[in-house]
Amino acid sequence: YLTIGLSSVKRKKGNYLLETIKSIFEQSSYEELKEIAVVVQLADFDSAWCEGMVQDISQKCAHHIIAGRLIVIHVPEEYYPVLVGLKRNYNHPEDRVKFRSKQNVDYAFLLNFCANLSDYYVMLEDDVCCSKNFLTTVKKVITSREGSYWVTLEFSKLGYIGKLYHSHDLPRLAHFLLMFYQEMPCDWLLIHFRGLLAQKEVIRFKPSLFQHMGYYSSYKGAENKLKDDDFEEESFDIPDNPPANLHTNMNVFESYETSKAYSSIDGYFWGKAPSTGDFYGIVFEKPIKISKIKVVTGTEDRQNDILHHGALEVGEKIVGSKKGRQCTTYLRLGEFQNGNFEIADVEHKVLFDINCMRILVTKSQKEWLIIRSISVWTSQT
């Protein structure tokens, strides 16, 4: 189902490759392991280092190699294009240009090798840790986007980590990286690739499934403290958020519309100072049974734009036409605390099938309101 590709070179300080491989396998269940292949490219021209790594990997991961789910590859130096006298774009120093150009070629070889191994491909770096059962989450996200067009789905906001492709796009991406290998770093090229294939928006999922653990960069051993603050290590149970119509009577700011709070894609709803009685409403396409609800308001940099006084209600008995459907009776499940709301075992507290859900403002506030995420888990009826 999924190939995980990573490319590694010798670092001046710290080597995280074995930790990364270990994290991929340890965070996957026995069932998940049957559906993944890991391809590690040793992309250094130092053959002694490559041989040492092969021995290390063989000793520590023998059973994964025998099972055919771990493959280690290497491309000899003579297959590479010229890596000296390259274009000095962005006024980067010569060794930086050489490093990033070679990396583009490394990735092109890796992508090309992985093109026929699975349905999907995800790129990781060699200093990454994974969240538990990441494959199950990836599958759930891919299924949820069935029928919609996408080129790249992102499961981390950093560099070239957690970028997912259809395997049938890999030969094209490999050609693209080779064609422009000396123009710019690979993470910039990827953005162009996505755009040229007509995916204008970033489609990124939260929480992130992969975290950067490397402290030293592979470029000259420079310190690299990048961390993804959306990462959650524990398998988060991804919400179902069944199809629904969303509406609000709040004054929406710019393009921060209602859909952005109900989607797992990066973004949020932002309304101007709400008054008592204002609401954010969800009308489900079909009546559902709910097991858990979680609503988060405010963001890291706007910690005051939370719902200061509010309640969450669920409703039944739908009236109105397709466009103006709403519930006639509501049951209050509880109040927001510090801008957040969470409740479990809803199906034991609510005896009817739920048609609607709403966030109700119970007291006017002068601060604006950000609804960062609304998560709904359904239980089988």
Side-chain angles (χ1 to χ4, degrees):
Y1 185 83
L2 181 70
T3 301
I4 299 156
L6 42 133
S7 182
S8 189
V9 292
K10 186 163 93 178
R11 292 167 182 257
K12 283 208 166 49
K13 292 179 183 167
N15 189 311
Y16 311 95
L17 176 60
L18 282 157
E19 292 296 308
T20 301
I21 296 170
K22 193 172 139 193
S23 176
I24 293 169
F25 291 133
E26 284 185 353
Q27 298 289 50
S28 302
S29 69
Y30 178 67
E31 291 306 312
E32 288 169 327
L33 287 176
K34 292 177 184 167
E35 297 198 81
I36 60 178
V38 179
V39 178
V40 176
Q41 178 188 33
L42 298 177
D44 209 283
F45 296 149
D46 178 339
S47 55
W49 176 82
C50 290
E51 281 162 27
M53 287 310 297
V54 165
Q55 269 183 320
D56 247 7
I57 294 168
S58 305
Q59 281 166 354
K60 296 194 168 75
C61 308
H63 62 295
H64 293 302
I65 295 171
I66 292 162
R69 71 174 77 95
L70 175 59
I71 302 164
V72 180
I73 64 170
H74 172 73
V75 180
E77 190 170 359
E78 57 264 30
Y79 289 96
Y80 279 72
V82 174
L83 293 171
V84 289
L86 302 172
K87 287 184 186 175
R88 290 274 303 278
N89 294 354
Y90 315 107
N91 208 18
H92 282 168
E94 207 166 313
D95 60 343
R96 171 85 205 169
V97 172
K98 179 177 178 177
F99 175 86
R100 62 157 216 240
S101 301
K102 176 183 172 293
Q103 193 173 44
N104 284 331
V105 181
D106 295 342
Y107 284 142
F109 286 135
L110 175 59
L111 292 162
N112 203 52
F113 181 87
C114 295
N116 297 317
L117 299 180
S118 57
D119 297 331
Y120 300 98
Y121 173 86
V122 69
M123 182 65 92
L124 295 187
E125 290 178 5
D126 65 347
D127 53 358
V128 168
C129 53
C130 309
S131 79
K132 204 157 181 54
N133 304 115
F134 63 88
L135 176 71
T136 299
T137 302
V138 166
K139 286 179 85 164
K140 209 164 181 182
V141 165
I142 290 172
T143 306
S144 76
R145 298 200 68 80
E146 237 165 58
S148 73
Y149 177 76
W150 58 270
V151 178
T152 314
L153 302 181
E154 304 190 9
F155 292 92
S156 167
K157 59 180 168 194
L158 302 176
Y160 207 170
I161 296 174
K163 308 297 182 268
L164 183 108
Y165 301 91
H166 294 275
S167 293
H168 59 68
D169 281 334
L170 297 185
R172 271 201 286 194
L173 179 52
H175 280 143
F176 185 75
L177 289 173
L178 281 178
M179 214 183 320
F180 299 107
Y181 80 101
Q182 57 175 312
E183 299 296 333
M184 60 183 74
C186 60
D187 36 356
W188 298 0
L189 283 172
L190 296 181
I191 297 165
H192 288 293
F193 181 76
R194 185 194 78 217
L196 288 166
L197 290 180
Q199 180 191 320
K200 298 284 178 275
E201 298 289 314
V202 173
I203 308 176
R204 193 172 86 226
F205 293 86
K206 291 187 301 191
S208 298
L209 298 182
F210 307 102
Q211 176 65 289
H212 201 272
M213 65 177 166
Y215 186 70
Y216 297 106
S217 151
S218 51
Y219 172 63
K220 285 183 142 177
E223 288 188 6
N224 179 358
K225 298 192 180 108
L226 282 176
K227 284 283 177 257
D228 187 336
D229 50 10
D230 288 330
F231 175 73
E232 284 181 19
E233 179 158 16
E234 261 319 295
S235 157
F236 53 92
D237 177 16
I238 195 168
D240 301 303
N241 284 23
N245 292 311
L246 312 167
H247 53 278
T248 184
N249 62 348
M250 286 180 248
N251 190 346
V252 181
F253 176 60
E254 289 182 355
S255 60
Y256 293 87
E257 61 255 0
T258 49
S259 61
K260 300 214 165 152
Y262 191 65
S263 152
S264 60
I265 296 172
D266 214 32
Y268 50 78
F269 164 80
W270 205 356
K272 298 181 181 178
S275 309
T276 309
D278 280 357
F279 66 87
Y280 176 111
I282 299 170
V283 179
F284 299 109
E285 282 182 10
K286 294 197 212 90
I288 55 166
K289 289 230 181 289
I290 293 178
S291 59
K292 185 170 131 191
I293 300 166
K294 182 178 177 183
V295 181
V296 180
T297 69
T299 60
E300 285 296 311
D301 50 350
R302 298 201 174 267
Q303 298 186 359
N304 230 9
D305 286 8
I306 60 171
L307 182 53
H308 293 272
H309 302 279
L312 191 126
E313 302 180 332
V314 291
E316 62 171 340
K317 299 197 175 72
I318 222 155
V319 294
S321 62
K322 188 91 183 129
K323 201 129 178 83
R325 292 161 73 231
Q326 52 186 343
C327 286
T328 52
T329 52
Y330 278 92
L331 169 70
R332 185 163 294 192
L333 291 183
E335 313 284 324
F336 276 72
Q337 306 290 329
N338 303 320
N340 297 329
F341 179 87
E342 188 165 0
I343 187 170
D345 300 320
V346 179
E347 72 273 37
H348 301 310
K349 299 172 175 124
V350 178
L351 300 177
F352 53 84
D353 285 355
I354 295 170
N355 287 104
C356 311
M357 188 173 114
R358 71 179 176 194
I359 297 164
L360 193 64
V361 179
T362 51
K363 189 176 170 191
S364 302
Q365 60 184 60
K366 56 182 190 304
E367 298 84 6
W368 288 17
L369 170 62
I370 287 175
I371 302 178
R372 189 160 83 192
S373 62
I374 298 169
S375 304
V376 176
W377 287 262
T378 56
S379 54
Q380 297 311 309
T381 35

PDB file of all heavy atoms in Angstrom, residues 95-110:
ATOM      1  N   ASP A  95      29.536  25.411  -2.017  1.00  0.00           N
ATOM      2  CA  ASP A  95      29.344  24.083  -1.420  1.00  0.00           C
ATOM      3  C   ASP A  95      27.875  23.846  -1.060  1.00  0.00           C
ATOM      4  O   ASP A  95      27.381  22.719  -1.097  1.00  0.00           O
ATOM      5  CB  ASP A  95      30.262  23.863  -0.208  1.00  0.00           C
ATOM      6  CG  ASP A  95      30.032  24.867   0.903  1.00  0.00           C
ATOM      7  OD1 ASP A  95      29.404  25.921   0.647  1.00  0.00           O
ATOM      8  OD2 ASP A  95      30.478  24.615   2.037  1.00  0.00           O
ATOM      9  N   ARG A  96      27.157  24.912  -0.743  1.00  0.00           N
ATOM     10  CA  ARG A  96      25.716  24.784  -0.460  1.00  0.00           C
ATOM     11  C   ARG A  96      24.967  24.391  -1.753  1.00  0.00           C
ATOM     12  O   ARG A  96      24.089  23.535  -1.740  1.00  0.00           O
ATOM     13  CB  ARG A  96      25.192  26.123   0.079  1.00  0.00           C
ATOM     14  CG  ARG A  96      23.706  26.231   0.226  1.00  0.00           C
ATOM     15  CD  ARG A  96      23.227  25.671   1.537  1.00  0.00           C
ATOM     16  NE  ARG A  96      21.846  25.236   1.452  1.00  0.00           N
ATOM     17  CZ  ARG A  96      21.230  24.517   2.378  1.00  0.00           C
ATOM     18  NH1 ARG A  96      21.870  24.156   3.449  1.00  0.00           N
ATOM     19  NH2 ARG A  96      19.983  24.160   2.247  1.00  0.00           N
ATOM     20  N   VAL A  97      25.370  25.049  -2.872  1.00  0.00           N
ATOM     21  CA  VAL A  97      24.737  24.744  -4.169  1.00  0.00           C
ATOM     22  C   VAL A  97      25.002  23.280  -4.541  1.00  0.00           C
ATOM     23  O   VAL A  97      24.096  22.553  -4.967  1.00  0.00           O
ATOM     24  CB  VAL A  97      25.275  25.679  -5.280  1.00  0.00           C
ATOM     25  CG1 VAL A  97      24.781  25.231  -6.653  1.00  0.00           C
ATOM     26  CG2 VAL A  97      24.837  27.117  -5.012  1.00  0.00           C
ATOM     27  N   LYS A  98      26.224  22.827  -4.308  1.00  0.00           N
ATOM     28  CA  LYS A  98      26.584  21.441  -4.627  1.00  0.00           C
ATOM     29  C   LYS A  98      25.754  20.479  -3.766  1.00  0.00           C
ATOM     30  O   LYS A  98      25.208  19.483  -4.257  1.00  0.00           O
ATOM     31  CB  LYS A  98      28.078  21.213  -4.391  1.00  0.00           C
ATOM     32  CG  LYS A  98      28.497  19.782  -4.695  1.00  0.00           C
ATOM     33  CD  LYS A  98      30.002  19.551  -4.525  1.00  0.00           C
ATOM     34  CE  LYS A  98      30.334  18.094  -4.809  1.00  0.00           C
ATOM     35  NZ  LYS A  98      31.779  17.827  -4.740  1.00  0.00           N
ATOM     36  N   PHE A  99      25.649  20.794  -2.474  1.00  0.00           N
ATOM     37  CA  PHE A  99      24.904  19.931  -1.536  1.00  0.00           C
ATOM     38  C   PHE A  99      23.442  19.791  -1.962  1.00  0.00           C
ATOM     39  O   PHE A  99      22.915  18.703  -2.083  1.00  0.00           O
ATOM     40  CB  PHE A  99      24.998  20.503  -0.112  1.00  0.00           C
ATOM     41  CG  PHE A  99      24.172  19.744   0.889  1.00  0.00           C
ATOM     42  CD1 PHE A  99      24.673  18.623   1.517  1.00  0.00           C
ATOM     43  CD2 PHE A  99      22.872  20.141   1.186  1.00  0.00           C
ATOM     44  CE1 PHE A  99      23.903  17.900   2.430  1.00  0.00           C
ATOM     45  CE2 PHE A  99      22.086  19.431   2.090  1.00  0.00           C
ATOM     46  CZ  PHE A  99      22.616  18.308   2.710  1.00  0.00           C
ATOM     47  N   ARG A 100      22.807  20.942  -2.235  1.00  0.00           N
ATOM     48  CA  ARG A 100      21.367  20.891  -2.528  1.00  0.00           C
ATOM     49  C   ARG A 100      21.114  20.303  -3.923  1.00  0.00           C
ATOM     50  O   ARG A 100      20.100  19.655  -4.155  1.00  0.00           O
ATOM     51  CB  ARG A 100      20.707  22.262  -2.372  1.00  0.00           C
ATOM     52  CG  ARG A 100      21.214  23.349  -3.287  1.00  0.00           C
ATOM     53  CD  ARG A 100      20.221  24.480  -3.502  1.00  0.00           C
ATOM     54  NE  ARG A 100      20.348  24.936  -4.859  1.00  0.00           N
ATOM     55  CZ  ARG A 100      20.670  26.178  -5.214  1.00  0.00           C
ATOM     56  NH1 ARG A 100      20.873  27.096  -4.303  1.00  0.00           N
ATOM     57  NH2 ARG A 100      20.758  26.500  -6.482  1.00  0.00           N
ATOM     58  N   SER A 101      22.044  20.521  -4.877  1.00  0.00           N
ATOM     59  CA  SER A 101      21.869  19.961  -6.228  1.00  0.00           C
ATOM     60  C   SER A 101      22.015  18.446  -6.191  1.00  0.00           C
ATOM     61  O   SER A 101      21.236  17.715  -6.808  1.00  0.00           O
ATOM     62  CB  SER A 101      22.891  20.556  -7.199  1.00  0.00           C
ATOM     63  OG  SER A 101      22.736  21.963  -7.246  1.00  0.00           O
ATOM     64  N   LYS A 102      23.014  17.971  -5.450  1.00  0.00           N
ATOM     65  CA  LYS A 102      23.194  16.527  -5.321  1.00  0.00           C
ATOM     66  C   LYS A 102      21.970  15.902  -4.645  1.00  0.00           C
ATOM     67  O   LYS A 102      21.508  14.825  -5.019  1.00  0.00           O
ATOM     68  CB  LYS A 102      24.455  16.208  -4.513  1.00  0.00           C
ATOM     69  CG  LYS A 102      24.617  14.702  -4.279  1.00  0.00           C
ATOM     70  CD  LYS A 102      25.813  14.376  -3.411  1.00  0.00           C
ATOM     71  CE  LYS A 102      25.823  12.901  -3.033  1.00  0.00           C
ATOM     72  NZ  LYS A 102      24.726  12.516  -2.141  1.00  0.00           N
ATOM     73  N   GLN A 103      21.421  16.600  -3.653  1.00  0.00           N
ATOM     74  CA  GLN A 103      20.247  16.077  -2.944  1.00  0.00           C
ATOM     75  C   GLN A 103      19.058  15.903  -3.898  1.00  0.00           C
ATOM     76  O   GLN A 103      18.329  14.914  -3.819  1.00  0.00           O
ATOM     77  CB  GLN A 103      19.881  17.032  -1.795  1.00  0.00           C
ATOM     78  CG  GLN A 103      18.895  16.434  -0.818  1.00  0.00           C
ATOM     79  CD  GLN A 103      18.676  17.342   0.394  1.00  0.00           C
ATOM     80  OE1 GLN A 103      18.518  18.565   0.255  1.00  0.00           O
ATOM     81  NE2 GLN A 103      18.660  16.756   1.567  1.00  0.00           N
ATOM     82  N   ASN A 104      18.882  16.856  -4.814  1.00  0.00           N
ATOM     83  CA  ASN A 104      17.809  16.720  -5.811  1.00  0.00           C
ATOM     84  C   ASN A 104      17.995  15.454  -6.654  1.00  0.00           C
ATOM     85  O   ASN A 104      17.038  14.742  -6.950  1.00  0.00           O
ATOM     86  CB  ASN A 104      17.775  17.944  -6.739  1.00  0.00           C
ATOM     87  CG  ASN A 104      17.151  19.150  -6.066  1.00  0.00           C
ATOM     88  OD1 ASN A 104      16.297  19.012  -5.194  1.00  0.00           O
ATOM     89  ND2 ASN A 104      17.570  20.345  -6.450  1.00  0.00           N
ATOM     90  N   VAL A 105      19.252  15.179  -7.036  1.00  0.00           N
ATOM     91  CA  VAL A 105      19.532  13.997  -7.850  1.00  0.00           C
ATOM     92  C   VAL A 105      19.336  12.731  -7.004  1.00  0.00           C
ATOM     93  O   VAL A 105      18.759  11.736  -7.474  1.00  0.00           O
ATOM     94  CB  VAL A 105      20.962  14.058  -8.441  1.00  0.00           C
ATOM     95  CG1 VAL A 105      21.228  12.832  -9.317  1.00  0.00           C
ATOM     96  CG2 VAL A 105      21.140  15.336  -9.263  1.00  0.00           C
ATOM     97  N   ASP A 106      19.798  12.766  -5.751  1.00  0.00           N
ATOM     98  CA  ASP A 106      19.573  11.630  -4.824  1.00  0.00           C
ATOM     99  C   ASP A 106      18.089  11.265  -4.815  1.00  0.00           C
ATOM    100  O   ASP A 106      17.705  10.100  -4.971  1.00  0.00           O
ATOM    101  CB  ASP A 106      19.962  11.991  -3.379  1.00  0.00           C
ATOM    102  CG  ASP A 106      21.444  12.262  -3.185  1.00  0.00           C
ATOM    103  OD1 ASP A 106      22.246  11.852  -4.045  1.00  0.00           O
ATOM    104  OD2 ASP A 106      21.796  12.902  -2.162  1.00  0.00           O
ATOM    105  N   TYR A 107      17.258  12.284  -4.605  1.00  0.00           N
ATOM    106  CA  TYR A 107      15.812  12.040  -4.495  1.00  0.00           C
ATOM    107  C   TYR A 107      15.232  11.521  -5.820  1.00  0.00           C
ATOM    108  O   TYR A 107      14.356  10.667  -5.820  1.00  0.00           O
ATOM    109  CB  TYR A 107      15.082  13.319  -4.061  1.00  0.00           C
ATOM    110  CG  TYR A 107      15.233  13.636  -2.590  1.00  0.00           C
ATOM    111  CD1 TYR A 107      15.370  14.947  -2.145  1.00  0.00           C
ATOM    112  CD2 TYR A 107      15.219  12.619  -1.635  1.00  0.00           C
ATOM    113  CE1 TYR A 107      15.497  15.239  -0.791  1.00  0.00           C
ATOM    114  CE2 TYR A 107      15.349  12.898  -0.283  1.00  0.00           C
ATOM    115  CZ  TYR A 107      15.489  14.207   0.141  1.00  0.00           C
ATOM    116  OH  TYR A 107      15.612  14.485   1.475  1.00  0.00           O
ATOM    117  N   ALA A 108      15.762  12.026  -6.926  1.00  0.00           N
ATOM    118  CA  ALA A 108      15.262  11.565  -8.238  1.00  0.00           C
ATOM    119  C   ALA A 108      15.514  10.059  -8.400  1.00  0.00           C
ATOM    120  O   ALA A 108      14.631   9.303  -8.817  1.00  0.00           O
ATOM    121  CB  ALA A 108      15.932  12.348  -9.360  1.00  0.00           C
ATOM    122  N   PHE A 109      16.736   9.610  -8.041  1.00  0.00           N
ATOM    123  CA  PHE A 109      17.044   8.172  -8.119  1.00  0.00           C
ATOM    124  C   PHE A 109      16.132   7.372  -7.187  1.00  0.00           C
ATOM    125  O   PHE A 109      15.626   6.309  -7.546  1.00  0.00           O
ATOM    126  CB  PHE A 109      18.510   7.913  -7.745  1.00  0.00           C
ATOM    127  CG  PHE A 109      19.505   8.320  -8.811  1.00  0.00           C
ATOM    128  CD1 PHE A 109      20.649   9.030  -8.475  1.00  0.00           C
ATOM    129  CD2 PHE A 109      19.300   7.977 -10.145  1.00  0.00           C
ATOM    130  CE1 PHE A 109      21.579   9.393  -9.449  1.00  0.00           C
ATOM    131  CE2 PHE A 109      20.226   8.334 -11.126  1.00  0.00           C
ATOM    132  CZ  PHE A 109      21.360   9.048 -10.774  1.00  0.00           C
ATOM    133  N   LEU A 110      15.942   7.885  -5.984  1.00  0.00           N
ATOM    134  CA  LEU A 110      15.117   7.182  -4.987  1.00  0.00           C
ATOM    135  C   LEU A 110      13.663   7.060  -5.455  1.00  0.00           C
ATOM    136  O   LEU A 110      13.062   5.980  -5.408  1.00  0.00           O
ATOM    137  CB  LEU A 110      15.197   7.939  -3.645  1.00  0.00           C
ATOM    138  CG  LEU A 110      14.321   7.439  -2.496  1.00  0.00           C
ATOM    139  CD1 LEU A 110      14.643   5.997  -2.142  1.00  0.00           C
ATOM    140  CD2 LEU A 110      14.513   8.328  -1.250  1.00  0.00           C
TER     141      LEU A 110
END
